[in-house]
Amino acid sequence: MRFDEIVAQLGDFGPYQKRLYFLMCWSFAIVSVQILAGVFIQATPKHRCALPGLLNDTYISQGPWHDELVNASIPWDSDEEMFDQCMLRRAPDGLDNDTASCDKWVYSKHPFKSTFVTDADLVCSEKSLVTYASMILMCGMLFGSLVLGVLSDIIGRKKVLVISTFGQLCSALSVAWAESYYVYAALRFFVSFFSVGLILTSFVMGMELVGAKKRRYAGVVVHLFWCLGLFIETGLAYGIRDWKYLQITITAPVSFILLLYIAMLPESPRWLLQRGKTEEAARILQSVANKNGVKLTEKFKSLEDVEIEGDKESIWQMFTHRVLLTRSLIVFFNWFVASMVYYGLSLNVGDLSGNIYLNFFLSAVVELVSYLCLLALLDRLGRKFWQCFSMILGGVACIATMFPVMYGGEDIQWVTVALSLVGKFGGSAGFVVIYLYTAEIFPTVMRNSGMGLCSLCARIGGILAPYIGDLNVIVDGDLGIALPLLIFGSLSVTAGLLVIFLPETSHKVLPDTVEDAKNFGLSYGSLTKNNTLSSSSVGKAQDQDNLAFSLDDSK
């Protein structure tokens, strides 16, 4: 007896599953707020060197006398059409053009009253530290996936969920009191470390009791809460312009979520069965049945002969056959690129021209639209079409931005914003589709291992994203602005074209063994189960779609 048969007896998506799923979805909202908070708390406003000897110097003009001092002391940058942000004239009479770097700055109070960058003076020679902070954040997600994922298999899902939520709460609150760069970067590392453990474990717990027919939709709906977090963050950041108060405000609700998790969540029945705790698992499943108004048969009550898939996984089986190896490498590359493009575009919204709050809001809207399109059309058009279309669309849009950036003026900078949003649409959709697509391509015996490697590839892409996104720091001029999007676009188009060599998985019975996977999608394969299903058997096949609900989240 398979565990999915027990879930079918409980009901695909009964009242209990809905409450559990809804509660787990909120973890995506609180994580998205923390991961992308750097757009605001690490923003760099306009600035210039502070005038020597003037204690009350401000970026905004204090009058004609102040303007004269600024003109005499600060050289004019004709390329940027603003006062130089890093240099002072050695002679303040304005007659000598010899300059020197400064060690104190004044910042514009619009649109931010303060950011961590302004408090720590991470500008000029120190501005690369902002990029490193974002890379350290992504490193936290990498190590969190490895450590907390393994820990959840050892001590239990609920314990890791509570630890992750508590860890995120403490580290995120502490960020607001960070005074030095190294303390700030370390705390942000732990924010993402515990955040990825939070969404990984909550996704597992939320999906494991959802029936196979509903998992496909539940796997996309959860990302709507990720977008909800972005909308909430936009409003809070717009109203709270001081980064410390903003950080405290976006973190405070986590304490309420933590109490709900401690009080309301049971341990994972699947994990209990894997650890041989049958009686405890039976009590939880009976409670679920009672709340759903379902009566379990004696066979299901006793959990006799229940089988938990995944016990015989071997990660190296992916590389034992040419077909599996080719498909695995294509999938790994798509994960790598999807993560890089998503986080590269998301974390660098502030580099786009125009209002940062409006751009961030529009980015969230585009992401939401992409998920809604997937809900409506994913099954109709198929996984292969959507993955290929999304990655190529996003890639072409990113590449096209180089033209308005390099050859256009300020009057058409909205075209750059529009194209980057189209790129965000493709990257967001591709990130979700590749998760589902991967879970359906890999056979059951290696599905969890395969998704683990895919998650590793995604984290590497996320680590590189901030560095590529900030290439404008290294490369001057319009080329420096266009280069990150050109790199993102080229890789995205390449990933989309490679998807052509993958089989379609929609409305097909998924492979269970390595032999099934070798023949999956081949019209001449010996297994008739890999052929497209007739209308009479589609319903049965959908019961077996996307069985990999105990896997890492796509974000």
Side-chain angles (χ1 to χ4, degrees):
M1 177 176 64
R2 297 178 62 183
F3 189 82
D4 281 350
E5 296 179 50
I6 302 175
V7 176
Q9 278 279 314
L10 295 172
D12 284 330
F13 204 43
Y16 178 86
Q17 288 102 315
K18 290 177 181 177
R19 288 195 296 270
L20 177 65
Y21 178 78
F22 179 75
L23 186 59
M24 294 294 95
C25 283
W26 279 106
S27 66
F28 281 71
I30 63 177
V31 168
S32 69
V33 167
Q34 294 295 338
I35 296 299
L36 296 180
V39 172
F40 301 106
I41 67 177
Q42 292 177 190
T44 303
K46 294 180 179 179
H47 57 280
R48 61 165 172 79
C49 292
L51 296 176
L54 187 61
L55 298 180
N56 64 339
D57 189 17
T58 58
Y59 186 83
I60 190 172
S61 173
Q62 300 179 28
W65 65 272
H66 188 244
D67 294 339
E68 290 181 7
L69 283 177
V70 172
N71 288 325
S73 303
I74 310 294
W76 180 259
D77 187 339
S78 56
D79 293 333
E80 299 293 335
E81 296 186 352
M82 61 189 301
F83 286 105
D84 196 294
Q85 296 181 326
C86 304
M87 307 300 292
L88 277 171
R89 285 195 177 98
R90 291 185 182 274
D93 55 10
L95 300 177
D96 188 352
N97 289 326
D98 192 17
T99 60
S101 59
C102 57
D103 57 5
K104 187 177 180 181
W105 295 264
V106 289
Y107 300 91
S108 171
K109 299 299 182 180
H110 178 79
F112 310 102
K113 182 179 179 181
S114 71
T115 69
F116 183 77
V117 170
T118 63
D119 284 2
D121 286 330
L122 301 181
V123 294
C124 297
S125 62
E126 302 291 325
K127 62 184 177 181
S128 61
L129 295 179
V130 180
T131 302
Y132 297 148
S134 296
M135 295 177 69
I136 291 171
L137 180 79
M138 293 293 107
C139 285
M141 297 187 73
L142 171 62
F143 286 98
S145 298
L146 297 175
V147 175
L148 296 176
V150 174
L151 189 62
S152 68
D153 289 334
I154 298 174
I155 68 173
R157 311 287 193 244
K158 180 178 179 178
K159 291 184 179 69
V160 170
L161 183 64
V162 172
I163 291 172
S164 298
T165 309
F166 181 74
Q168 193 214 50
L169 173 64
C170 293
S171 55
L173 273 179
S174 300
V175 167
W177 281 271
E179 297 295 336
S180 74
Y181 171 79
Y182 297 103
V183 172
Y184 171 85
L187 289 173
R188 287 281 285 169
F189 172 90
F190 284 109
V191 167
S192 62
F193 178 90
F194 289 113
S195 290
V196 75
L198 177 57
I199 57 176
L200 186 156
T201 311
S202 63
F203 185 84
V204 171
M205 296 186 70
M207 294 287 285
E208 72 167 359
L209 291 179
V210 177
K213 292 181 179 179
K214 302 294 184 181
R215 287 179 195 141
R216 184 185 305 108
Y217 304 103
V220 176
V221 169
V222 71
H223 295 282
L224 301 183
F225 282 77
W226 180 279
C227 292
L228 176 61
L230 301 183
F231 289 126
I232 294 173
E233 184 165 34
T234 305
L236 292 176
Y238 184 81
I240 305 173
R241 305 299 177 94
D242 186 299
W243 77 273
K244 292 185 176 181
Y245 292 116
L246 174 62
Q247 181 65 28
I248 294 171
T249 304
I250 63 177
T251 305
V254 180
S255 58
F256 178 68
I257 298 294
L258 174 61
L259 293 176
L260 290 179
Y261 287 168
I262 294 174
M264 299 181 62
L265 292 183
E267 183 52 88
S268 161
R270 174 179 286 266
W271 179 81
L272 291 171
L273 288 172
Q274 286 178 325
R275 307 299 289 186
K277 301 180 180 182
T278 307
E279 292 184 3
E280 188 176 350
R283 286 197 301 270
I284 294 174
L285 293 173
Q286 184 60 57
S287 176
V288 175
N290 294 338
K291 292 175 181 177
N292 284 352
V294 175
K295 186 176 181 179
L296 293 176
T297 63
E298 291 300 323
K299 177 183 178 181
F300 289 104
K301 284 184 180 180
S302 61
L303 300 179
E304 295 178 357
D305 302 322
V306 64
E307 298 177 1
I308 301 297
E309 59 200 38
D311 292 337
K312 299 180 180 179
E313 293 178 350
S314 177
I315 197 170
W316 304 115
Q317 288 177 284
M318 295 184 208
F319 311 112
T320 59
H321 190 273
R322 179 179 56 83
V323 172
L324 288 180
L325 176 61
T326 302
R327 291 175 180 176
S328 296
L329 293 177
I330 293 174
V331 167
F332 294 160
F333 185 68
N334 269 264
W335 276 80
F336 171 82
V337 174
S339 177
M340 178 186 293
V341 172
Y342 178 84
Y343 285 111
L345 295 177
S346 297
L347 293 172
N348 288 278
V349 167
D351 292 338
L352 298 175
S353 60
N355 186 285
I356 186 174
Y357 301 102
L358 178 60
N359 290 343
F360 192 85
F361 174 78
L362 292 176
S363 178
V365 170
V366 166
E367 188 170 344
L368 175 63
V369 171
S370 71
Y371 298 153
L372 294 176
C373 288
L374 292 180
L375 278 175
L377 301 173
L378 184 58
D379 280 342
R380 295 183 182 181
L381 300 179
R383 319 292 194 255
K384 184 173 182 176
F385 169 83
W386 264 111
Q387 185 63 23
C388 183
F389 171 76
S390 298
M391 299 303 286
I392 292 178
L393 173 67
V396 170
C398 288
I399 293 174
T401 56
M402 65 180 296
F403 297 105
V405 167
M406 299 184 68
Y407 304 109
E410 291 292 332
D411 56 328
I412 63 168
Q413 287 304 303
W414 63 270
V415 176
T416 304
V417 176
L419 288 172
S420 68
L421 292 176
V422 175
K424 180 67 179 297
F425 176 96
S428 300
F431 212 156
V432 174
V433 176
I434 193 59
Y435 170 73
L436 177 60
Y437 203 1
T438 303
E440 295 177 340
I441 286 178
F442 288 152
T444 301
V445 295
M446 65 174 66
R447 190 169 285 139
N448 286 348
S449 300
M451 292 298 293
L453 275 182
C454 289
S455 180
L456 178 63
C457 294
R459 301 288 82 83
I460 295 174
I463 291 171
L464 293 177
Y467 179 78
I468 296 175
D470 287 341
L471 282 177
N472 61 316
V473 175
I474 302 174
V475 182
D476 295 328
D478 293 336
L479 178 60
I481 299 175
L483 189 57
L485 292 171
L486 182 61
I487 294 175
F488 290 145
S490 300
L491 291 175
S492 186
V493 169
T494 302
L497 292 175
L498 288 174
V499 173
I500 296 174
F501 299 99
L502 296 178
E504 177 58 71
T505 61
S506 183
H507 300 309
K508 292 188 178 183
V509 180
L510 304 182
D512 290 322
T513 67
V514 175
E515 193 62 31
D516 290 345
K518 292 177 183 178
N519 295 284
F520 185 69
L522 303 178
S523 59
Y524 53 83
S526 59
L527 297 177
T528 58
K529 64 179 281 186
N530 290 324
N531 295 330
T532 302
L533 299 174
S534 64
S535 59
S536 62
S537 57
V538 165
K540 181 179 179 181
Q542 288 179 336
D543 286 344
Q544 300 184 46
D545 271 351
N546 193 17
L547 302 180
F549 54 85
S550 59
L551 306 175
D552 187 15
D553 168 61
S554 64
K555 285 287 187 295

